[in-house]
Amino acid sequence: MRVGLIVDSACDLPYEFARKHDIFILPVTAVIDGETYIDEHDPVRTQEFYQSGLLKKGRHAETQAYTTEQIYDLFMKEIVPRFDIAICETVARSRSLIYQNATEAMNRVMASYQEARAVSGREGKFSMRVIDSKQIFAGQGLLAAHTLRLAEQRLSKNALRNEVEAFSDRIYTCVIPRDLHYIRERARRRGDKSVSGMAAFLGKALNITPVIFGQGAGGAPVARTRRFEAAAEQVMDYAAARVEAGLLTPYVSLSCGMSWTEIEDLPGLNRLRNACERNGVELLLSQMGITSSIYVGPGSLCLALAAEPHSFSDHQ
């Protein structure tokens, strides 16, 4: 019985990791200055976006979920003929229509998959589940990696779903936005007032960079620094300390909306790498995808790990 994992383009994972494990990417449409692009997590295309400056501030950029019809067509063409059980983990439903549209598409698939299975020569029934990851970006990537580990245990489909949903609540995420004004404008267009005008003004006037920390897609500022590099080092030190203390899954997921040269120069990254190596933890380091970068702003950083309840300051 073959189990397939589907994630959307808001999920940040290293390209080689996703390819090795045959993870299917559900695309997201990006609209930048009126031009439409399809984000399929192609590493070459993503690098071109960073080099071309298409993701820089000053451009009007939005993301759009694939429609129910588009997702249905993809599921019928790419998923039904290849897998017996499919799990689709979407970005937090509070942040996007992807979960809603994927669920509607799944319901249509379950009512009409038999012919597609017969044509492909794949025998037996097909089962599918759409799960709200409750995560964003690197958090989604962490949940996907853990789901693959659970799938290796050959759990029943219901047990697998329950384990994934329960584990999602154990994931902690740190986000460092490069530009609070960018986030505020994006949030304003969505009707999200979580980033106030005063916070954005202070961030611009005083060069304050916050660390936003919490479980899942929620979070609150837990540290404020005058430089992005100082905030990044705090997050690396936090993650290294949690690795030493013990994680609930042997992964740390880190995505960065910058060039690979800038990523490798991040302060504290090598200390985190060393801590992971000492403790048998895989660092899932990736360049932030187009969808993620549009959402939180170019130059930003997102880190996720799963651990027992704690606060960001516990490592200090």
Side-chain angles (χ1 to χ4, degrees):
M1 185 170 292
R2 192 170 184 215
V3 179
L5 178 61
I6 307 160
V7 298
D8 58 61
S9 293
C11 175
D12 285 333
L13 273 171
Y15 174 74
E16 291 300 330
F17 182 92
R19 188 174 69 168
K20 174 184 176 182
H21 294 284
D22 198 20
I23 297 175
F24 182 82
I25 306 297
L26 179 61
V28 171
T29 301
V31 181
I32 304 173
D33 288 346
E35 294 290 326
T36 299
Y37 306 87
I38 304 301
D39 181 12
E40 297 177 302
H41 265 212
D42 180 284
V44 175
R45 190 66 181 275
T46 301
Q47 185 64 21
E48 289 174 352
F49 266 69
Y50 282 104
Q51 292 175 342
S52 66
L54 277 173
L55 297 178
K56 289 184 178 178
K57 62 182 179 181
R59 296 180 179 272
H60 184 86
E62 294 291 341
T63 56
Q64 298 174 356
Y66 260 31
T67 66
T68 297
E69 188 67 31
Q70 289 174 307
I71 297 174
Y72 170 79
D73 289 342
L74 278 174
F75 284 171
M76 291 294 286
K77 179 181 178 181
E78 304 288 349
I79 304 302
V80 170
R82 294 172 56 194
F83 303 105
D84 303 303
I85 297 175
I87 298 173
C88 178
E89 296 176 353
T90 73
V91 67
R93 65 192 300 182
S94 61
R95 306 285 177 166
S96 171
L97 290 174
I98 297 175
Y99 173 84
Q100 176 182 320
N101 293 354
T103 299
E104 292 173 0
M106 175 197 69
N107 290 335
R108 288 183 56 188
V109 166
M110 294 306 298
S112 60
Y113 71 79
Q114 290 85 355
E115 183 177 349
R117 294 278 282 184
V119 170
S120 68
R122 196 160 193 93
E123 299 179 351
K125 293 183 178 181
F126 174 77
S127 178
M128 188 173 193
R129 178 68 63 177
V130 177
I131 297 175
D132 173 11
S133 74
K134 306 177 190 175
Q135 307 296 322
I136 54 174
F137 320 147
Q140 246 188 300
L142 185 77
L143 183 64
H146 186 69
T147 300
L148 293 171
R149 285 177 60 85
L150 291 173
E152 292 175 354
Q153 299 176 19
R154 301 187 181 279
L155 303 172
S156 71
K157 60 184 179 182
N158 287 333
L160 180 59
R161 181 198 69 208
N162 292 336
E163 288 285 345
V164 169
E165 291 178 340
F167 186 81
S168 180
D169 294 329
R170 315 295 293 277
I171 296 175
Y172 291 81
T173 303
C174 299
V175 176
I176 307 176
R178 178 76 73 166
D179 187 335
L180 286 174
H181 275 279
Y182 180 96
I183 289 184
R184 178 175 176 266
E185 285 305 303
R186 281 272 302 155
R188 183 183 60 81
R189 289 195 291 268
R190 297 193 310 271
D192 182 351
K193 299 179 181 179
S194 59
V195 181
S196 70
M198 181 58 71
F201 171 78
L202 288 174
K204 185 75 171 182
L206 303 178
N207 196 27
I208 291 175
T209 301
V211 174
I212 300 170
F213 172 79
Q215 289 175 273
V222 292
R224 294 176 176 85
T225 67
R226 290 295 181 92
R227 296 184 304 112
F228 179 88
E229 291 75 15
E233 188 163 21
Q234 285 192 28
V235 168
M236 300 299 175
D237 288 345
Y238 152 79
R242 295 318 308 174
V243 168
E244 297 288 359
L247 302 177
L248 299 179
T249 195
Y251 300 105
V252 171
S253 181
L254 173 61
S255 64
C256 309
M258 55 193 77
S259 71
W260 280 107
T261 299
E262 292 172 311
I263 292 172
E264 290 299 332
D265 287 340
L266 285 171
L269 177 59
N270 285 333
R271 288 199 297 277
L272 174 57
R273 274 199 177 113
N274 292 337
C276 288
E277 290 177 4
R278 285 195 301 272
N279 292 275
V281 172
E282 183 173 358
L283 178 60
L284 300 173
L285 178 61
S286 65
Q287 194 171 46
M288 191 173 279
I290 295 168
T291 299
S292 309
S293 189
I294 287 176
Y295 191 95
V296 74
S300 301
L301 178 152
C302 183
L303 180 143
L305 52 80
E308 297 294 348
H310 64 277
S311 68
F312 182 79
S313 61
D314 284 353
H315 74 284
Q316 296 175 340

